[in-house]
Amino acid sequence: MHLDRSGLEILDVRECRALLARAVVGRVVFTEHALPAVQPVNFIVHADDVVIRTARASRLATAARQTVVAFEIDEFDATARTGWSVVIIGHARLVTASEEIAALEDLPLRSWMPGHRDQYIRIRPELVSGRRIPVDA
Amino acid sequence: MHLDRSGLEILDVRECRALLARAVVGRVVFTEHALPAVQPVNFIVHADDVVIRTARASRLATAARQTVVAFEIDEFDATARTGWSVVIIGHARLVTASEEIAALEDLPLRSWMPGHRDQYIRIRPELVSGRRIPVDA
């Protein structure tokens, strides 16, 4: 077990990717009007990218125009006071090529949000990091 | 029930504050080396502020030097495909006055992180917003 300087267990990239593949909700972190912004979304991992469905005129669609975002997932147990989190940082992009959209439409990804959500965003994990609170912390 | 333009229920400030008072884990969203950054923390609400304990040399302590951050809590149900989130935006500050530190030490707030965490950060909610996915979405 490798610990960082604050005593948290460092999760390796393989473990981070396995946690990402199992999670269904994460949080997109971006900047909006020069302020930090965050929005939870349901997602799926496809070809190593985080894939999200949103509406064409949504804040996410606006925020994801070729920008660098963070994406976070976590799980905590308040009784045991433990848990883990994984953060990826990478470029987000709107999917515009029709063949690529057709391929994504085959995925089992339906937005939990109401209304028509036919805009796909992909986030490419360029930095991947994860931490776990050791159970005996 | 008030809906926003994407069909999500808008939670009023009173409801957002009630959800904040009950939650134990949230995510601080900030900027680090010009990139979006996010870190989950356990917290408590005191005098309307979100209060966090961290270590003196932590990234959070560095990030919270008189800057504007976002702080997010949420809860989702993957089976029902519903859930809610609350986001506050406001100035974060390191608590340095000894009387104020003494008052915060009386709170039932112990960091889940390992090691010595004697640095308090307060986030003042200047903007408070919340959304819920309607159950029949």
Side-chain angles (χ1 to χ4, degrees), chain A residues 5-8 24-27 29-31 35-42 57-59 68-72 74 76-79 81-85 87 89 109-115 117 127 133-134 137, chain B residues 5-8 24-27 29-31 35-42 57-59 68-72 74 76-79 81-85 87 89 109-115 117 127 133-134 137:
Chain A
R5 68 192 177 97
S6 66
L8 296 175
V24 291
V25 171
R27 296 143 201 106
V29 171
F30 52 103
T31 302
L35 288 174
V38 49
Q39 188 169 321
V41 289
N42 65 303
S58 68
R59 335 162 42 200
V68 173
V69 302
F71 184 78
E72 190 256 10
D74 62 39
F76 289 94
D77 178 335
T79 309
R81 301 171 70 89
T82 183
W84 55 264
S85 66
V87 177
I89 296 178
L109 174 63
R110 196 160 57 86
S111 174
W112 296 5
M113 303 296 195
R117 307 268 161 176
L127 294 171
I133 303 172
Chain B
R5 68 192 178 97
S6 66
L8 295 175
V24 290
V25 171
R27 296 143 202 106
V29 171
F30 53 103
T31 302
L35 288 175
V38 49
Q39 188 169 323
V41 289
N42 64 305
S58 67
R59 341 165 33 203
V68 174
V69 302
F71 184 78
E72 189 255 10
D74 62 40
F76 290 93
D77 178 334
T79 309
R81 301 172 70 90
T82 184
W84 54 263
S85 65
V87 177
I89 295 177
L109 174 64
R110 196 161 58 85
S111 174
W112 295 5
M113 303 297 195
R117 307 267 162 178
L127 294 171
I133 303 172

Side-chain angles (χ1 to χ4, degrees), chain A residues 22-79:
Chain A
R22 282 202 297 272
V24 291
V25 171
R27 296 143 201 106
V28 184
V29 171
F30 52 103
T31 302
E32 191 178 48
H33 310 308
L35 288 174
V38 49
Q39 188 169 321
V41 289
N42 65 303
F43 73 103
I44 202 167
V45 174
H46 175 69
D48 286 343
D49 289 354
V50 166
V51 179
I52 299 160
R53 273 181 99 138
T54 186
R56 270 169 205 278
S58 68
R59 335 162 42 200
L60 273 186
T62 305
R65 289 178 195 282
Q66 282 295 112
T67 184
V68 173
V69 302
F71 184 78
E72 190 256 10
I73 59 169
D74 62 39
E75 202 173 288
F76 289 94
D77 178 335
T79 309

